[in-house]
Amino acid sequence: MEYTQLGRTGLKVSRLVLGTMNFGPQTDEAGSHALMDAALDAGINFFDTANVYGFGENKGRTESIIGNWFAKGGERRDKVVLATKVYANMALDDSPVWPNHDKLSAVNIRRAVEASLKRLRTDYIDLYQFHHIDRSTPFEELWQAVDVLVQQGKILYVGSSNFPGYKIAQANEAADRRGLLGLVSEQCLYNLSERRAEMEVIPAAQDYGLGVIPWSPLHGGLLGGVLKKAAEGGRRASGRAADTLADPAVRAQVQAYEDLLDKHGLEPGETALAWLLARPGVTGPIVGPRTAGQLESALRAVELKLSEDVLTGLDEIFPGPGPSPEAFAW
């Protein structure tokens, strides 16, 4: 495994981030524990979750699964850089949301941290991430709440998720006025097929020293060899990938992608991850394996170095927006 610093911090994290969103909804507790053990054995020390994972009537279940794994001992907690998130309400489906039980008010941040710590069975969170911007809460209030929690030792670093570039700037300027470290990472949708983050989010993250943590690196399976698998009678596209493939132009694009990689003897999923690992500013993509085989495939991507011919071909198939601000200025 390779490691890098998280943004401008001294925190050293693995180039792959273990995503846990499937823990509970798709992978049972025993299987989730086995995947976390395998990830740790492979050198992955960066685990990502969120307070709402588990979803529906099981919100918080994923954090509880991780907490039970920590409770097994074996220095599991000490070896893991633990990241979780706050924003969405924790009310069960069809239940009314009580005032101040969601978003980023100081009241809800304090409540959410305490609840996550209890479920995770730990006394601190390494990276506490804001899952979305809160248009109603000023950053001065947010940073005051964070400052208290840092002083209490309950959180160590703060990151954002799904923030636009200008909000990253606003957040860190407000933190600087208080003498605080501010945001150290941004978790955003970024992959070969979805490169809009290159226009402003990634430039802002680089200028302010945030590590970039891409989520959905295979774009819901679209970049994982979906057409070849379907042709061979394997798993067919579903969800976001199926919706996207309904566009004939996108389908042709994905076919060209798979043809290019077949020509070079490369696996689509591993190539999509390797491409992200080579992008400027990227700390590491989030991988959410459901099986040991999927984890092994992701691990191979860390060692995969793409040739200039392949990189050029990928840019031709999935052209990015170009440098900012020229991409939208003229």
Side-chain angles (χ1 to χ4, degrees), residues 225 228 232 254-269 271 310 314 317:
K228 182 178 181 180
E232 294 175 349
V254 173
Q255 186 65 67
Y257 166 70
E258 293 188 12
D259 289 345
L260 172 70
L261 302 189
D262 187 56
K263 173 184 174 182
H264 289 273
L266 296 169
E267 291 296 322
T271 301
V310 171
L314 292 173
I317 296 168

Side-chain angles (χ1 to χ4, degrees), residues 211-257:
V212 175
I213 306 169
W215 61 266
S216 195
L218 303 188
H219 208 51
L222 190 75
L223 302 171
V226 63
L227 297 180
K228 182 178 181 180
K229 290 175 183 177
E232 294 175 349
R235 184 179 179 184
R236 292 185 173 274
S238 60
R240 179 188 297 143
D243 293 341
T244 307
L245 280 173
D247 183 336
V250 173
R251 191 177 188 89
Q253 197 176 35
V254 173
Q255 186 65 67
Y257 166 70

Side-chain angles (χ1 to χ4, degrees), residues 33 130 192:
H33 286 191
F130 304 122
L192 267 167

Side-chain angles (χ1 to χ4, degrees), residues 156-186:
L156 303 183
Y157 301 93
V158 178
S160 57
S161 181
N162 306 308
F163 272 36
Y166 80 99
K167 284 295 181 181
I168 291 173
Q170 288 181 347
N172 272 20
E173 292 297 333
D176 186 63
R177 289 193 294 270
R178 296 181 63 89
L180 302 178
L181 184 60
L183 301 174
V184 303
S185 63
E186 160 59 19

Side-chain angles (χ1 to χ4, degrees), residues 119-146:
R119 287 188 293 267
L120 290 163
R121 301 176 71 169
T122 185
D123 56 5
Y124 70 100
I125 295 163
D126 296 285
L127 178 64
Y128 201 52
Q129 301 166 110
F130 304 122
H131 215 159
H132 194 277
I133 61 169
D134 182 355
R135 295 177 174 88
S136 302
T137 303
F139 281 118
E140 288 76 13
E141 176 182 345
L142 186 152
W143 288 123
Q144 182 177 4
V146 164

